[in-house]
Amino acid sequence: MTKRYFLVLSLFISAGAIAQKTMPKGTTYSAANKTVKVYVTEKGTDKRLSPDGSLKFTSNPQPPETEFAIFVDPAKTFQSMVGIGGALTDAVSETFYKLPKDKQQELLSAYYDKTKGIGFTLARTTIQSSDFSSASYSYVKEGDADLKTFDISHDKKYRIPFIKEATAAAGGKLTMFVSPWSPPAFMKDNNDVLHGGKLLPKYRQNWANFYVKFINAYEKAGIPIWGLSVQNEPMATQTWESCKYTAEEERDFVKNFLGPTLAKGGMASKKLIVWDHNRDLLYQRASTILEDPAAAKYIWGIGFHWYETWTGAGQNFAAVRQTHEAFPDKNLIFTEGCVEKFDFEKLNDWSLGERYGLSMINDFNGGTVAWTDWNILLDEKGGPNHVGNFCFAPVHADTRSGKLIYTNSYYYMGHFSKFIKPGAKRVASVASRDKLLTTAYMNTDGSLAVVVMNSTDEKLDYSLWIKGKSAKVTAQPHSIATLVVN
């Protein structure tokens, strides 16, 4: 391999950027003498991330068009995986400490243990309160523009101790990014942390200083911060904590205040994320902000959510692909998603997990480098939430009985996070029929993880085909499988 190849590879890995390239000349991948281990989650059975046998490859130079196939080409590689995880909010931590000690340890192991659990490596938390807090609060006293009263004592009761426990369970490292829902009320034109409103121009520098204060305070408390987003959902006027920015306002805030302030505070290496809202406006926001070089130089990537479905439309994966194609030097990160309108009677609804599988496969295939669920744990009411915006989480704690309830979305996410590790390269994986969805990654240890999802009512037999070798697989109705090739 040439020196030039190593240079390009190291640049892409260090930036976490999207690399669309082929393997070096002369390098080939052969499935000969390799084994496929199958792990399955399947509706109507007790199979949940369950081992489901091993398969061998046989020679199959030209598969017939009459048969289903998943074609995988490890020689065609794309973006590197940064991580998969979920948000550690006030609601999560408050619910966690209502559980018995043994259930607390069970939850930590379920999410963060790389062997016994699903190996989450990524996390998000909030700057000040969000809807998933028991009440609104600020780190500064009313009117303190100079931030002299800045104090994160509120978070030291539940949130910071929980994040530390989660980090320890993850082996001592958790890639953490942070997001504000609203500046303090006095900094906004509606004098209210709720109901939208905008940051007053005279407080732009003070608010930029606030991010640096927060990151310093959390890092002093023992929680390293990898990155930050400018604003959660900057186009939404919510009944909960919210603040609105147009694309131009967010661009100029980054260019003139937040970017320079981070750099001056020794935080130029923190990954700065813009947008952090739904896919529907993703391209418009990215193009408006990133086409200004003075703003773009501070920006690591563009974050997005999946709630564009509030319009009655489906998930807009085309926006992800188009944004990646237009701005391949910037990273795409899914920063939040959950199923809304909590109903305890629907905790076993199979569509919960299938929504995750659909999104994750399409987002990764569209160039996304990291994927973050919303709350990893909520109570039996879908909270706590101080404005009644109750939602589903992959795991719910019934605080009345002290039991944990695992929805199938936990297992669906695990089919990715357990087998696709940070640093893995996405490789080409194409289904011959649209009844199957697939994505695939080559891990740094040489293992190949191929995820295949069947959301139909049909049993589908297919071949996992890699360069003239194939293995016969069956996808049961409403199932997801990870095929690990070693």
Side-chain angles (χ1 to χ4, degrees), residues 198-230:
K198 291 196 172 189
L199 177 66
L200 289 165
K202 67 179 180 179
Y203 290 122
R204 286 171 182 160
Q205 184 59 58
N206 308 80
W207 182 228
N209 295 341
F210 201 104
Y211 297 77
V212 173
K213 282 268 193 184
F214 176 84
I215 292 170
N216 279 329
Y218 258 58
E219 293 195 332
K220 186 177 179 181
I223 299 172
I225 303 300
W226 168 81
L228 67 158
S229 69
V230 178

Side-chain angles (χ1 to χ4, degrees), residues 205-454:
Q205 184 59 58
N206 308 80
W207 182 228
N209 295 341
F210 201 104
Y211 297 77
V212 173
K213 282 268 193 184
F214 176 84
I215 292 170
N216 279 329
Y218 258 58
E219 293 195 332
K220 186 177 179 181
I223 299 172
I225 303 300
W226 168 81
L228 67 158
S229 69
V230 178
Q231 169 64 42
N232 178 71
E233 299 186 346
M235 282 300 290
T237 298
Q238 305 284 25
T239 57
W240 54 87
E241 286 84 342
S242 43
C243 183
K244 296 182 72 174
Y245 293 78
T246 65
E248 291 80 7
E249 287 166 342
E250 185 176 12
R251 176 197 66 199
D252 293 347
F253 178 61
V254 167
K255 176 171 63 176
N256 299 322
F257 297 96
L258 184 56
T261 301
L262 289 170
K264 185 178 178 181
M267 297 183 183
S269 63
K270 304 300 182 188
K271 313 305 184 191
L272 184 57
I273 299 162
V274 294
W275 186 221
D276 200 1
H277 204 165
N278 298 330
R279 297 187 188 97
D280 49 4
L281 300 186
L282 179 61
Y283 186 90
Q284 180 263 336
R285 296 293 289 219
S287 62
T288 302
I289 296 170
L290 297 177
E291 285 169 4
D292 184 336
K297 70 180 182 180
Y298 294 113
I299 295 164
W300 174 84
I302 312 103
F304 63 94
H305 302 182
W306 72 15
Y307 308 114
E308 66 270 17
T309 54
W310 71 269
T311 63
Q315 296 187 63
N316 190 350
F317 302 119
V320 177
R321 292 192 300 272
Q322 289 286 311
T323 304
H324 165 56
E325 289 169 4
F327 305 99
D329 60 329
K330 297 299 181 183
N331 299 281
L332 286 169
I333 174 172
F334 184 90
T335 46
E336 183 186 317
C338 74
V339 179
E340 301 158 288
K341 299 179 181 177
F342 179 76
D343 182 347
F344 189 85
E345 299 304 315
K346 293 183 178 179
L347 284 172
N348 293 319
D349 192 327
W350 204 255
S351 68
L352 297 176
E354 288 189 336
R355 181 167 177 180
Y356 279 78
L358 175 69
S359 178
M360 295 179 82
I361 289 172
N362 280 283
D363 289 337
F364 290 139
N365 288 345
T368 300
V369 304
W371 210 94
T372 328
D373 186 32
W374 189 209
N375 301 282
I376 66 165
L377 174 73
L378 292 172
D379 65 19
E380 69 278 1
K381 297 177 182 177
N385 185 295
H386 71 88
V387 290
N389 179 35
F390 300 120
C391 296
F392 286 90
V395 182
H396 284 266
D398 189 334
T399 60
R400 300 163 298 187
S401 64
K403 293 181 179 178
L404 291 172
I405 303 166
Y406 294 81
T407 74
N408 71 319
S409 59
Y410 164 83
Y411 299 102
Y412 267 67
M413 281 194 295
H415 276 277
F416 302 85
S417 61
K418 187 175 180 69
F419 304 103
I420 302 168
K421 308 296 185 183
K425 286 280 188 186
R426 185 172 68 85
V427 303
S429 185
V430 181
S432 66
R433 302 285 189 275
D434 65 359
K435 290 182 178 181
L436 293 175
L437 297 177
T438 181
T439 194
Y441 281 78
M442 181 71 74
N443 286 300
T444 56
D445 66 0
S447 63
L448 175 64
V450 184
V451 181
V452 180
M453 176 173 148
N454 176 11

